[in-house]
Amino acid sequence: MGYLDNETIYKKYDPSGMQKSIKDFPDQIESAWDEVSQLAVPTHYLNVKNVIVLGMGGSGIAGSLAKAYCFQKLNKPFEVIKDYKLPSYIDSSSLVIAISYSGGTEETIATFNEAASKGCKLFAISTGGEIESLARKFKCPHFKVEYNSLPRASLGYLFIPVLGFLSKLKFINLDGQEVLEAINNLRDFQMKVEPNIPTGQNEAKQLAEKLKGYLPISVASGILAPVASRLKAQFNENSKSFAVAEEMPEMCHNFLQGLDFPDRVKDRIMTIFIQSRYDHPRTVLRFQAVQNILKKKGLKYQIIELQCKGAELAEMLHYIHFVDYVSYYLAMMEQTDPWPMDMITYLKKFLEENK
């Protein structure tokens, strides 16, 4: 029996129940889709010329995923802002979507207020907090998240409402059948990576074991590019581990030349290639070339190429679910509780004290 097959470690190192929040992911998506389908959409929103999503951290990744999904489906510019200020071009013809699980993210509050001052069309997603209060003040639609967890563990409630809202506006063509397909795929996949599945048959556990002690560099392209960022963030927050994310094909124009020094770091690097059925054919060749280079230099890498049923949304969610489980198992390998956020809590307290 492998270390990750010992059920006592989950009780010991996950007392707050991160495992349950990860397991809830398909249910989150189903519930969020049903709820956003009931949301009223103001008719004057139909004439917007661009879409901007505001969000940070676990909330911000929802915007990045939405942008990737909409990249070839939405005939309007789409941007994700993760800062205190908006671009100067944003005006009353812009749709601005604020995502803040807590409702108290100061960067998102600042940009949401600025968007309101510019007369933008607004939509907000939060559990409550100041974002909900501002949504009432600005008389804009608000999707209230009724799920008690952490932002990173509530992604279904943060990502799906963005797609649902854009679908209701008919900016993208996403129907319930495609969402249901993605949910069913996740539930089938989940039965292969849960803690009760032995390591020998569990791809998520196997990857976590291989990654222990290494600095992971996640690489992906196109619709899966934000999944590489999700892996990096989940390793940071759940596993309390350092990680890096790169995007293909951009990494071919700089990353490769930085593999020579220092030698001590090279020995601890593990590159993770997250490959999609939807990758551009030339990008597929680039993946192969980069892997050849790493092999010649004696650098370790892993290829994640999951067998996923369904269209793009199903694939995106499938990979997200996988990397979430990997980050959880890595936390167990490191014998650390994935729930606490001591460093970020300190930072927030510091900023609050210095307003």
Side-chain angles (χ1 to χ4, degrees):
M1 181 174 71
Y3 175 80
L4 290 170
D5 300 330
N6 182 351
E7 64 179 26
T8 62
I9 65 170
Y10 301 103
K11 296 175 183 177
K12 182 176 181 179
Y13 298 116
D14 184 22
S16 300
M18 177 61 74
Q19 181 190 145
K20 181 184 182 304
S21 291
I22 294 174
K23 186 175 181 177
D24 283 348
F25 190 48
D27 294 339
Q28 291 180 26
I29 293 164
E30 183 174 44
S31 177
W33 179 258
D34 289 344
E35 290 172 30
V36 77
S37 297
Q38 307 303 315
L39 198 66
V41 175
T43 55
H44 65 285
Y45 280 33
L46 297 173
N47 62 355
V48 301
K49 295 180 180 177
N50 49 62
V51 178
I52 293 87
V53 175
L54 317 174
M56 308 296 299
S59 300
I61 190 64
S64 299
L65 289 164
K67 180 179 178 180
Y69 178 80
C70 294
F71 185 67
Q72 290 195 307
K73 297 177 174 63
L74 179 68
N75 63 352
K76 304 175 188 293
F78 191 130
E79 189 165 358
V80 181
I81 306 297
K82 301 181 180 184
D83 210 329
Y84 289 92
K85 296 291 292 181
L86 293 176
S88 60
Y89 69 81
I90 292 177
D91 57 23
S92 60
S93 66
S94 302
L95 169 61
V96 175
I97 302 173
I99 309 174
S100 170
Y101 177 84
S102 66
T105 310
E106 65 174 52
E107 299 97 324
T108 307
I109 290 169
T111 44
F112 196 46
N113 273 309
E114 185 181 351
S117 71
K118 290 174 176 282
C120 300
K121 280 73 175 176
L122 304 172
F123 174 44
I125 302 167
S126 76
T127 57
E130 189 169 350
I131 288 292
E132 183 180 23
S133 298
L134 289 173
R136 283 198 296 267
K137 176 182 175 182
F138 302 143
K139 297 181 172 56
C140 72
H142 173 256
F143 181 93
K144 190 174 179 70
V145 177
E146 303 280 1
Y147 186 72
N148 185 24
S149 188
L150 295 169
R152 66 184 185 274
S154 310
L155 184 59
Y157 284 108
L158 304 174
F159 171 41
I160 294 301
V162 179
L163 297 188
F165 197 74
L166 295 177
S167 178
K168 288 181 73 70
L169 288 168
K170 302 193 184 304
F171 293 169
I172 59 172
N173 183 21
L174 175 64
D175 59 29
Q177 186 57 41
E178 185 175 345
V179 177
L180 179 61
E181 177 183 65
I183 293 167
N184 290 337
N185 175 73
L186 284 177
R187 287 178 174 149
D188 289 342
F189 173 67
Q190 193 172 77
M191 292 188 290
K192 301 175 183 177
V193 292
E194 288 185 315
N196 65 306
I197 305 301
T199 300
Q201 302 159 33
N202 190 321
E203 291 181 88
K205 286 183 178 180
Q206 291 169 17
L207 183 57
E209 286 192 342
K210 290 175 182 176
L211 287 171
K212 188 178 187 309
Y214 284 93
L215 189 163
I217 301 174
S218 55
V219 180
S221 170
I223 63 167
L224 295 188
V227 177
S229 298
R230 172 71 170 183
L231 185 151
K232 178 257 180 194
Q234 290 294 79
F235 279 27
N236 293 159
E237 297 188 75
N238 285 346
S239 316
K240 314 300 187 263
S241 301
F242 194 81
V244 177
E246 290 280 348
E247 187 169 347
M248 188 73 83
E250 170 64 18
M251 71 171 294
C252 295
H253 298 269
N254 39 60
F255 172 87
L256 296 178
Q257 207 57 53
L259 297 175
D260 292 341
F261 306 107
D263 291 337
R264 284 175 297 176
V265 174
K266 286 168 56 180
D267 293 340
R268 306 314 304 165
I269 290 174
M270 178 82 76
T271 303
I272 305 167
F273 294 100
I274 304 172
Q275 299 189 201
S276 167
R277 291 173 295 151
Y278 299 98
D279 284 334
H280 190 282
R282 299 295 294 177
T283 298
V284 174
L285 286 174
R286 288 177 182 270
F287 272 115
Q288 294 172 358
V290 172
Q291 289 157 15
N292 289 341
I293 291 169
L294 294 182
K295 190 180 298 182
K296 288 177 182 177
K297 287 186 171 289
L299 296 170
K300 293 181 174 63
Y301 66 88
Q302 292 289 321
I303 300 171
I304 303 176
E305 210 162 12
L306 303 177
Q307 300 302 310
C308 171
K309 300 174 184 176
E312 287 131 308
L313 180 63
E315 186 179 79
M316 293 176 78
L317 297 174
H318 189 115
Y319 275 89
I320 288 167
H321 209 29
F322 178 73
V323 302
D324 285 0
Y325 268 106
V326 174
S327 73
Y328 177 74
Y329 291 134
L330 186 57
M332 298 301 100
M333 293 289 297
E334 299 291 359
Q335 300 182 354
T336 187
D337 185 346
W339 196 275
M341 298 288 289
D342 295 344
M343 299 302 102
I344 294 176
T345 300
Y346 160 76
L347 176 62
K348 290 181 177 179
K349 183 179 179 182
F350 178 86
L351 291 171
E352 184 66 27
E353 291 171 349
N354 289 274
K355 278 189 174 179

